[in-house]
Amino acid sequence: MAEQEAEQGMEEVLDYNEGEQGVEQMEAAADVGDAAQARAGQAADSNAPAEQAAAQDKPADEAEAKEEQAKDAAPKSLDPMAQPPHGTEVYMANLAMDATDDHIRDFCEKMGPVYQLRIPKNPDGRNRGYGFVVYKTKAAAENAVQHLNAQELPDFPGRKVRVNESQVKNRLYMGNLPRSMTQHQLEAALKEELQGVEDIELMMDKENPELNRGFGFITFYNYACAEVARRKYTENERTLGGRPLTVTWAEPKKEEDTSKVKAIYVGNLPDTVTEEKLRDLFKAYGEVEKVMLPYSKEDPTKYRDYGFVHFRERPSALQAMARAEEDKPTVDGKELSVAMAKP
């Protein structure tokens, strides 16, 4: 709901039991996540012959998937930074089961140099109808998704291959951080001992800007760098500022449907703000149905520094937000921040 606090909470963060991309690239093993993704993709293919459909629908357990993909996975000793960056892996489905790795590689290399193939095999040596291709560049992977999807392998007419971007994780959640730690301190501590750190986002406490919320997110150059870091912090208990850290995969940010939202988020409000002041400020863009100003947890007599303005019509909210980007509104001399509210 739009009244809900406009900040990233823990609901964005952890997903301990599912969706974990566990392709153990540094140990020459693949996680069951690959098999789950493949089964989901294959189930949607109603055109496969009965023999292939039966084989593709057969559940692939974790041990089986690891054994199959260990043949093609990168060696453990390989420098993570020598591997391609995040965004270079694609998922392929509806492959002809008689297609060999050479057939698939030749087909994929039309879009650019291939770094690695992971094509699970059946006991008879034929592929299982799906696989993963890692390109050396993002551009090549993007070209593959754009130009190879719905195309046919040259030697296997009649079967259109499905090519999508693969869901590979490269972002970690780090919890139980000292709340007094600053962004600069966290960056200094992590970049000193971790490879491939591209971004560190320490979540700050909006009620007390001097403190963080005890957790943050780390984005890495690729999965391999993130996996090395995850193991470093989980296989041996690590502390930061005297506190044992909690480190796991961060759940990918979910795209939210804001197409029906008719409210705006208004931040950086002064202590003197009132519902009437906000209503008067935004009524020029359309009928305002209500104004929501949450009270502070520490002092129930005071408002927080943000609120929500609900319009009767969505175009009014869009117009208010667009206008705020050109000329930031103010209340009692304080410049406000305006954005579309979350569903």
Side-chain angles (χ1 to χ4, degrees), residues 229-245:
R230 187 187 69 83
R231 290 188 179 188
K232 178 176 288 189
Y233 284 103
T234 55
E235 293 182 353
N236 302 295
E237 185 173 297
R238 304 294 291 270
T239 62
L240 196 59
R243 298 169 67 93
L245 297 173

PDB file of all heavy atoms in Angstrom, residues 229-245:
ATOM      1  N   ALA A 229      33.384 -14.398  -2.022  1.00  0.00           N
ATOM      2  CA  ALA A 229      33.112 -13.573  -0.842  1.00  0.00           C
ATOM      3  C   ALA A 229      32.126 -14.263   0.098  1.00  0.00           C
ATOM      4  O   ALA A 229      32.300 -14.253   1.320  1.00  0.00           O
ATOM      5  CB  ALA A 229      32.556 -12.216  -1.282  1.00  0.00           C
ATOM      6  N   ARG A 230      31.088 -14.868  -0.472  1.00  0.00           N
ATOM      7  CA  ARG A 230      30.088 -15.543   0.364  1.00  0.00           C
ATOM      8  C   ARG A 230      30.733 -16.656   1.170  1.00  0.00           C
ATOM      9  O   ARG A 230      30.477 -16.809   2.370  1.00  0.00           O
ATOM     10  CB  ARG A 230      28.972 -16.103  -0.514  1.00  0.00           C
ATOM     11  CG  ARG A 230      27.797 -16.684   0.265  1.00  0.00           C
ATOM     12  CD  ARG A 230      26.816 -17.384  -0.667  1.00  0.00           C
ATOM     13  NE  ARG A 230      27.398 -18.604  -1.223  1.00  0.00           N
ATOM     14  CZ  ARG A 230      27.410 -19.771  -0.574  1.00  0.00           C
ATOM     15  NH1 ARG A 230      26.914 -19.878   0.644  1.00  0.00           N
ATOM     16  NH2 ARG A 230      27.953 -20.831  -1.158  1.00  0.00           N
ATOM     17  N   ARG A 231      31.590 -17.417   0.527  1.00  0.00           N
ATOM     18  CA  ARG A 231      32.254 -18.515   1.240  1.00  0.00           C
ATOM     19  C   ARG A 231      33.211 -17.990   2.310  1.00  0.00           C
ATOM     20  O   ARG A 231      33.315 -18.560   3.396  1.00  0.00           O
ATOM     21  CB  ARG A 231      33.013 -19.382   0.243  1.00  0.00           C
ATOM     22  CG  ARG A 231      32.104 -20.175  -0.661  1.00  0.00           C
ATOM     23  CD  ARG A 231      32.894 -21.144  -1.492  1.00  0.00           C
ATOM     24  NE  ARG A 231      32.026 -21.925  -2.337  1.00  0.00           N
ATOM     25  CZ  ARG A 231      32.443 -22.948  -3.058  1.00  0.00           C
ATOM     26  NH1 ARG A 231      33.704 -23.312  -3.018  1.00  0.00           N
ATOM     27  NH2 ARG A 231      31.595 -23.611  -3.808  1.00  0.00           N
ATOM     28  N   LYS A 232      33.909 -16.933   1.974  1.00  0.00           N
ATOM     29  CA  LYS A 232      34.868 -16.384   2.932  1.00  0.00           C
ATOM     30  C   LYS A 232      34.174 -15.983   4.229  1.00  0.00           C
ATOM     31  O   LYS A 232      34.722 -16.156   5.325  1.00  0.00           O
ATOM     32  CB  LYS A 232      35.579 -15.172   2.314  1.00  0.00           C
ATOM     33  CG  LYS A 232      36.566 -14.489   3.250  1.00  0.00           C
ATOM     34  CD  LYS A 232      37.314 -13.365   2.550  1.00  0.00           C
ATOM     35  CE  LYS A 232      38.315 -13.908   1.571  1.00  0.00           C
ATOM     36  NZ  LYS A 232      39.209 -12.857   1.027  1.00  0.00           N
ATOM     37  N   TYR A 233      32.938 -15.476   4.099  1.00  0.00           N
ATOM     38  CA  TYR A 233      32.238 -14.977   5.282  1.00  0.00           C
ATOM     39  C   TYR A 233      31.315 -16.006   5.933  1.00  0.00           C
ATOM     40  O   TYR A 233      30.796 -15.753   7.013  1.00  0.00           O
ATOM     41  CB  TYR A 233      31.426 -13.735   4.918  1.00  0.00           C
ATOM     42  CG  TYR A 233      32.280 -12.499   4.761  1.00  0.00           C
ATOM     43  CD1 TYR A 233      32.608 -12.010   3.503  1.00  0.00           C
ATOM     44  CD2 TYR A 233      32.776 -11.823   5.870  1.00  0.00           C
ATOM     45  CE1 TYR A 233      33.405 -10.890   3.354  1.00  0.00           C
ATOM     46  CE2 TYR A 233      33.572 -10.702   5.731  1.00  0.00           C
ATOM     47  CZ  TYR A 233      33.886 -10.242   4.470  1.00  0.00           C
ATOM     48  OH  TYR A 233      34.681  -9.143   4.335  1.00  0.00           O
ATOM     49  N   THR A 234      31.082 -17.132   5.274  1.00  0.00           N
ATOM     50  CA  THR A 234      30.180 -18.122   5.855  1.00  0.00           C
ATOM     51  C   THR A 234      30.898 -19.387   6.320  1.00  0.00           C
ATOM     52  O   THR A 234      30.471 -20.014   7.294  1.00  0.00           O
ATOM     53  CB  THR A 234      29.084 -18.535   4.846  1.00  0.00           C
ATOM     54  OG1 THR A 234      29.687 -19.001   3.638  1.00  0.00           O
ATOM     55  CG2 THR A 234      28.167 -17.359   4.537  1.00  0.00           C
ATOM     56  N   GLU A 235      31.976 -19.769   5.638  1.00  0.00           N
ATOM     57  CA  GLU A 235      32.674 -20.982   6.039  1.00  0.00           C
ATOM     58  C   GLU A 235      33.510 -20.760   7.293  1.00  0.00           C
ATOM     59  O   GLU A 235      33.807 -21.698   8.033  1.00  0.00           O
ATOM     60  CB  GLU A 235      33.550 -21.483   4.889  1.00  0.00           C
ATOM     61  CG  GLU A 235      32.728 -21.967   3.700  1.00  0.00           C
ATOM     62  CD  GLU A 235      33.585 -22.506   2.574  1.00  0.00           C
ATOM     63  OE1 GLU A 235      34.827 -22.384   2.672  1.00  0.00           O
ATOM     64  OE2 GLU A 235      33.015 -23.051   1.600  1.00  0.00           O
ATOM     65  N   ASN A 236      33.895 -19.539   7.539  1.00  0.00           N
ATOM     66  CA  ASN A 236      34.588 -19.173   8.781  1.00  0.00           C
ATOM     67  C   ASN A 236      33.847 -17.988   9.387  1.00  0.00           C
ATOM     68  O   ASN A 236      33.576 -17.010   8.705  1.00  0.00           O
ATOM     69  CB  ASN A 236      36.040 -18.769   8.493  1.00  0.00           C
ATOM     70  CG  ASN A 236      36.822 -19.869   7.797  1.00  0.00           C
ATOM     71  OD1 ASN A 236      37.046 -20.928   8.364  1.00  0.00           O
ATOM     72  ND2 ASN A 236      37.212 -19.608   6.548  1.00  0.00           N
ATOM     73  N   GLU A 237      33.508 -18.104  10.658  1.00  0.00           N
ATOM     74  CA  GLU A 237      32.741 -17.026  11.299  1.00  0.00           C
ATOM     75  C   GLU A 237      33.559 -15.746  11.265  1.00  0.00           C
ATOM     76  O   GLU A 237      34.677 -15.676  11.765  1.00  0.00           O
ATOM     77  CB  GLU A 237      32.388 -17.404  12.734  1.00  0.00           C
ATOM     78  CG  GLU A 237      31.492 -16.359  13.398  1.00  0.00           C
ATOM     79  CD  GLU A 237      30.994 -16.806  14.768  1.00  0.00           C
ATOM     80  OE1 GLU A 237      30.260 -17.807  14.828  1.00  0.00           O
ATOM     81  OE2 GLU A 237      31.360 -16.153  15.761  1.00  0.00           O
ATOM     82  N   ARG A 238      32.992 -14.726  10.681  1.00  0.00           N
ATOM     83  CA  ARG A 238      33.677 -13.446  10.558  1.00  0.00           C
ATOM     84  C   ARG A 238      32.939 -12.385  11.350  1.00  0.00           C
ATOM     85  O   ARG A 238      31.710 -12.412  11.472  1.00  0.00           O
ATOM     86  CB  ARG A 238      33.759 -13.027   9.088  1.00  0.00           C
ATOM     87  CG  ARG A 238      34.426 -14.035   8.179  1.00  0.00           C
ATOM     88  CD  ARG A 238      35.900 -14.200   8.522  1.00  0.00           C
ATOM     89  NE  ARG A 238      36.642 -12.990   8.174  1.00  0.00           N
ATOM     90  CZ  ARG A 238      37.199 -12.798   6.983  1.00  0.00           C
ATOM     91  NH1 ARG A 238      37.099 -13.716   6.038  1.00  0.00           N
ATOM     92  NH2 ARG A 238      37.872 -11.692   6.733  1.00  0.00           N
ATOM     93  N   THR A 239      33.687 -11.461  11.871  1.00  0.00           N
ATOM     94  CA  THR A 239      33.087 -10.365  12.640  1.00  0.00           C
ATOM     95  C   THR A 239      33.505  -9.035  12.039  1.00  0.00           C
ATOM     96  O   THR A 239      34.529  -8.926  11.361  1.00  0.00           O
ATOM     97  CB  THR A 239      33.519 -10.417  14.112  1.00  0.00           C
ATOM     98  OG1 THR A 239      34.952 -10.254  14.194  1.00  0.00           O
ATOM     99  CG2 THR A 239      33.116 -11.743  14.758  1.00  0.00           C
ATOM    100  N   LEU A 240      32.718  -8.044  12.313  1.00  0.00           N
ATOM    101  CA  LEU A 240      33.015  -6.680  11.891  1.00  0.00           C
ATOM    102  C   LEU A 240      32.569  -5.769  13.028  1.00  0.00           C
ATOM    103  O   LEU A 240      31.403  -5.786  13.415  1.00  0.00           O
ATOM    104  CB  LEU A 240      32.275  -6.333  10.599  1.00  0.00           C
ATOM    105  CG  LEU A 240      32.761  -5.091   9.840  1.00  0.00           C
ATOM    106  CD1 LEU A 240      34.238  -5.239   9.462  1.00  0.00           C
ATOM    107  CD2 LEU A 240      31.944  -4.880   8.574  1.00  0.00           C
ATOM    108  N   GLY A 241      33.504  -5.028  13.585  1.00  0.00           N
ATOM    109  CA  GLY A 241      33.173  -4.211  14.730  1.00  0.00           C
ATOM    110  C   GLY A 241      32.736  -5.042  15.931  1.00  0.00           C
ATOM    111  O   GLY A 241      31.929  -4.592  16.749  1.00  0.00           O
ATOM    112  N   GLY A 242      33.265  -6.282  16.008  1.00  0.00           N
ATOM    113  CA  GLY A 242      32.918  -7.138  17.133  1.00  0.00           C
ATOM    114  C   GLY A 242      31.605  -7.878  16.983  1.00  0.00           C
ATOM    115  O   GLY A 242      31.194  -8.601  17.897  1.00  0.00           O
ATOM    116  N   ARG A 243      30.957  -7.763  15.836  1.00  0.00           N
ATOM    117  CA  ARG A 243      29.660  -8.410  15.636  1.00  0.00           C
ATOM    118  C   ARG A 243      29.784  -9.503  14.571  1.00  0.00           C
ATOM    119  O   ARG A 243      30.330  -9.262  13.489  1.00  0.00           O
ATOM    120  CB  ARG A 243      28.609  -7.386  15.190  1.00  0.00           C
ATOM    121  CG  ARG A 243      28.344  -6.289  16.225  1.00  0.00           C
ATOM    122  CD  ARG A 243      27.502  -5.179  15.618  1.00  0.00           C
ATOM    123  NE  ARG A 243      26.157  -5.637  15.315  1.00  0.00           N
ATOM    124  CZ  ARG A 243      25.125  -5.526  16.142  1.00  0.00           C
ATOM    125  NH1 ARG A 243      25.292  -4.985  17.332  1.00  0.00           N
ATOM    126  NH2 ARG A 243      23.932  -5.949  15.785  1.00  0.00           N
ATOM    127  N   PRO A 244      29.269 -10.723  14.847  1.00  0.00           N
ATOM    128  CA  PRO A 244      29.300 -11.790  13.835  1.00  0.00           C
ATOM    129  C   PRO A 244      28.394 -11.437  12.668  1.00  0.00           C
ATOM    130  O   PRO A 244      27.237 -11.058  12.858  1.00  0.00           O
ATOM    131  CB  PRO A 244      28.799 -13.022  14.601  1.00  0.00           C
ATOM    132  CG  PRO A 244      27.991 -12.466  15.736  1.00  0.00           C
ATOM    133  CD  PRO A 244      28.644 -11.172  16.107  1.00  0.00           C
ATOM    134  N   LEU A 245      28.908 -11.549  11.460  1.00  0.00           N
ATOM    135  CA  LEU A 245      28.162 -11.125  10.282  1.00  0.00           C
ATOM    136  C   LEU A 245      27.233 -12.214   9.767  1.00  0.00           C
ATOM    137  O   LEU A 245      27.508 -13.406   9.899  1.00  0.00           O
ATOM    138  CB  LEU A 245      29.126 -10.725   9.169  1.00  0.00           C
ATOM    139  CG  LEU A 245      30.044  -9.537   9.460  1.00  0.00           C
ATOM    140  CD1 LEU A 245      31.047  -9.372   8.331  1.00  0.00           C
ATOM    141  CD2 LEU A 245      29.232  -8.269   9.649  1.00  0.00           C
TER     142      LEU A 245
END
